[in-house]
Amino acid sequence: MALNSINPTQTKAWSKLAAHFETIKESQMKTWFKENPNRAEEFTIKWEDFYVDFSKNRITSETLELFKELAQELNLQDAISKYFGGDVINQTEGRSVLHTALRSPADVEVILDGANVMPEIYKVKALIKTFSDAIINGTKKGYTNKPFTDVVNIGIGGSDLGPAMVVDSLSFYGNHLRPHYVSNVDGDHVNEILKFLDPETTLFVIVSKTFTTQETLSNATTIKNWFLKHGTQSDVAKHFVAVSTNTAKVEAFGIETSNIFPMWDWVGGRFSLWSAVGLSISLALGYENFDSLLKGAHKMDTHFKEEKFETNIPVVLAFLSVWYNNFFKAESEAIIPYTQYLNQFATYLQQAIMESNGKSIDRSGDKVAYQTGNLIWGEPGTNSQHAFFQLIHQGTKLIPADFIGFTKSLHGNLDHHDKLISNFLAQTEALLNGKSKAEVLSEGTKAAIVPFKVFEGNKPTNTIFIKQLTPESLGKLIAMYEHKIFVQGVVWNVFSYDQFGVELGKQLASKILNEFDSNTIVNHDASTSNLLSYYKNHRV
Ligand code: F6P
């Protein structure tokens, strides 16, 4: 069954939230902390190795109560059952959304069109394991009988960002295989990567759900041609494998059927790292680590499905996000991990979040009259403190931020880690409390300079403190955001699992591409026509 279509702003709870907002919008969080010594405890969720403190938010217990009422009016619980139950909730593409099944235990049944999908999932998992084990331990070799040293993932969007982020984030757990990711159709990207590779010891994994994506097919063709300058056509099978739903197109490209890792249309591209799209994860980190990632995600799935809303991490984070987006009119959200390993995390989340909820048509097909998907950005702390934190502290915009930190570092350098975590804690404290005029004056600041040194504070943050960065904890963290996205989509009444917004640019690009070598340029606006001519005159 499809998801309900309910305009959230027409609900009773929304009106109550709007009234409640008027009463607390000017309130200071630091006053609430003084008034209620239990505030931090009351707004902290401790779950497994996660400590999620959301007390530094501009909410009271009434705010959460009203969001629970909203969830009830919008049938959130029923939506969650439909999501996990394989209902066709990606209605505009006529598909189920079952990436959660990829991380379910084998003995759980997930029925789709009358058949259990789990045996097929576990068959592919076994293929991933056998293949990655053989590449890692060197039993599968290249065409000159040398073991592999490098793995190149060729894909874009969900066929690149998820695996690239996971492999980078968990590089501590990596083996001897050097991972590379080619995504951009910019030929300089692929050439920069090829320049250091040895065709005799490099494995290429072409990842494309549709196997029609221009960037991926162009890069794969360039790489295959480069390979054929060294090896022969019959060597291709040893060096090229593919992950796709489109077997016919993969075979037409010249990849052997036995080298195709299947995936399914009920796995959305941006949620596909748990499928064979994660083959490069299994290769670079080993199958056991890939499996731990999946197990972590499954634990978060269970938490999300079973936990009551007030202590349900993804649900609470989604409520908070809607609160700032729709009531405080915040436009963006920052993701600030206090670990260099999560360097690519915000980039990964940009696709997951913005491709999912960047929609303006509701589930009835009508234009929404309220804000939906927020802008996502971020960089690791402490680097970002020396870059854009000025604006978060003293700019005019309200930017709610997720601070993600780990109590133990991976290399165990306590001196560095203490410094890192002191910054992690200090920043959310500074954003909460700010610095008053009196405090600035008491430091002996000249009167004329005082206004510039005042920090208003009252800036909201979530602190997501996790014991250690492991494959399992990363799996939980990614799944946490996936479910937050789902809840936001339910509240905003949009279809979170299609991405028609990326199509128009693709269509126009293929039209323009054909015009570069033709004499006529037609049907463009004057600006585009001029730019096109300018390029034609300068391209060689
Ligand atoms: O950007 C649009 C998109 O369809 C993404 O959703 C997807 O992850 C990406 O392109 C790549 O698609 P494919 O895996 O089919 O090459």
Side-chain angles (χ1 to χ4, degrees), residues 156-159 207-211 213 216 269-270 351 355 499 502 506:
I156 197 164
S159 298
V207 185
S208 178
K209 181 175 166 184
T210 54
F211 224 78
T213 306
T216 303
R270 54 194 173 273
Q351 188 204 14
E355 201 167 85
Q499 55 286 315
V502 297
K506 280 195 214 172

